[in-house]
Amino acid sequence: MDSNNLFLVLGALIFVVGATGVLLRRNALIIFMCVEMMLNSVNLSLITLSRMWGNLEGQIFVFVIMAVAAAEVAIGLAILIAHNRHVRNINIETLNLLRN
Amino acid sequence: MSVFAFLIGALSLAAAIGVVISAKPVHSALFLMANFATLAILYVLLDAQFLAAAQVIIYAGGIVILILFVIMLIGHDPADRSQQVTWPAVASLVLGVILLASLVLQLTGRLELGGGGGIASGGSPSAVGTELFTRFLLPFEFVAILLLVALIGALIMGRRESGEPVEEPVG
């Protein structure tokens, strides 16, 4: 197997593991980490494709994705802390304020 | 190189699975750091030296530390496992398998699209920087604005409302 294909398959596998984790876990922090992992697996695919096509555009995309991930983490963790101040836990089962 | 890449990739996948199945958030965070570090090694193998350094600095050095700080503030949620009903877990596993199957179906037969390839100048900081500040200058500036907005947003979200009582220390 060509090593480029190996990296693409690895990216797909890590993405699947992350998506399963988002569905499986009830702890908001772990769901957060799984989302980060999914972003990272896409980064790996983009870097591999960038090498296959022989230009740097994929790497620029990855740079932008890293910035978006950093912004997402900052806001998301702030929301978690604000939520935790009201409800005293971070189980996503308690995130039902919009239900009624 | 292929055997080395395979080993590092297997390590990365194992760390990814560890993030999902760890009972404690702290262990998940450490597995996440292992996942990021092994991916950084793979980036070096893929001619992306600048991004490997950025990966270590931003993800392993910034994001994981931030997550660890939040774990320290919020702490362990003991209800994570015990409250869990079994059928959503089964349903999510089934959905994961379906996602995997569809990805495999899409990938098989299409993986011959590019051989070795390789970037002439590599992903060195100067090559990426030249590209970033010439062709992609406008997206770069938007990234700067995005980070500023995120900073302000996080500040407003994390601030205590003026009417809110000061919380008592727990435990």
Side-chain angles (χ1 to χ4, degrees):
Chain A
M1 198 189 214
D2 186 42
S3 64
N4 280 343
N5 295 349
L6 177 78
F7 291 122
L8 286 181
V9 170
L10 178 69
L13 283 177
I14 294 180
F15 189 88
V16 169
V17 170
T20 312
V22 169
L23 295 170
L24 198 61
R25 300 303 302 262
R26 301 266 79 90
N27 187 328
L29 268 171
I30 292 178
I31 289 177
F32 233 86
M33 296 181 210
C34 291
V35 171
E36 289 303 312
M37 220 159 62
M38 287 159 77
L39 284 168
N40 249 286
S41 70
V42 174
N43 282 354
L44 178 66
S45 303
L46 279 174
I47 288 180
T48 311
L49 293 171
S50 157
R51 191 173 78 145
M52 279 181 174
W53 262 266
N55 62 37
L56 282 173
E57 286 171 17
Q59 300 200 8
I60 305 291
F61 285 171
V62 172
F63 180 80
V64 176
I65 290 177
M66 278 182 179
V68 171
E72 176 238 331
V73 162
I75 302 257
L77 290 180
I79 290 175
L80 265 187
I81 289 181
H83 172 71
N84 183 61
R85 204 180 291 143
H86 292 292
V87 188
R88 281 276 157 233
N89 73 42
I90 49 170
N91 194 320
I92 54 162
E93 305 283 336
T94 60
L95 283 168
N96 54 6
L97 294 174
L98 287 178
R99 183 172 281 173
N100 299 318
Chain B
M1 169 200 149
S2 194
V3 177
F4 181 66
F6 189 81
L7 280 177
I8 298 290
L11 215 60
S12 178
L13 189 62
I17 293 172
V19 174
V20 175
I21 64 175
S22 297
K24 293 183 178 176
V26 180
H27 295 168
S28 282
L30 293 177
F31 274 123
L32 189 69
M33 190 181 257
N35 187 25
F36 290 162
T38 47
L39 281 183
I41 297 174
L42 293 182
Y43 290 178
V44 175
L45 294 180
L46 284 167
D47 296 332
Q49 295 89 353
F50 169 68
L51 289 174
Q55 166 94 359
V56 171
I57 294 170
I58 296 176
Y59 279 104
I63 290 180
V64 175
I65 298 297
L66 205 60
I67 289 176
L68 281 173
F69 263 104
V70 172
I71 291 173
M72 184 186 80
L73 283 176
I74 292 179
H76 171 57
D77 178 17
D80 183 27
R81 280 297 169 98
S82 55
Q83 257 184 0
Q84 206 167 329
V85 207
T86 47
W87 74 262
V90 173
S92 50
L93 281 177
V94 168
L95 285 173
V97 169
I98 290 174
L99 179 61
L100 179 65
S102 54
L103 275 175
V104 166
L105 278 181
Q106 288 296 310
L107 279 176
T108 45
R110 295 193 189 188
L111 281 180
E112 291 83 20
L113 31 80
I119 304 164
S121 55
S124 66
S126 67
V128 177
T130 308
E131 196 84 345
L132 202 58
F133 285 108
T134 51
R135 285 179 61 204
F136 295 97
L137 185 60
L138 192 64
F140 181 76
E141 297 295 338
F142 280 133
V143 164
I145 295 173
L146 171 79
L147 286 176
L148 180 67
V149 170
L151 183 72
I152 297 170
L155 209 64
I156 291 174
M157 287 286 178
R159 204 185 44 176
R160 183 176 292 117
E161 307 259 328
S162 52
E164 248 175 280
V166 178
E167 50 201 272
E168 322 265 311
V170 187

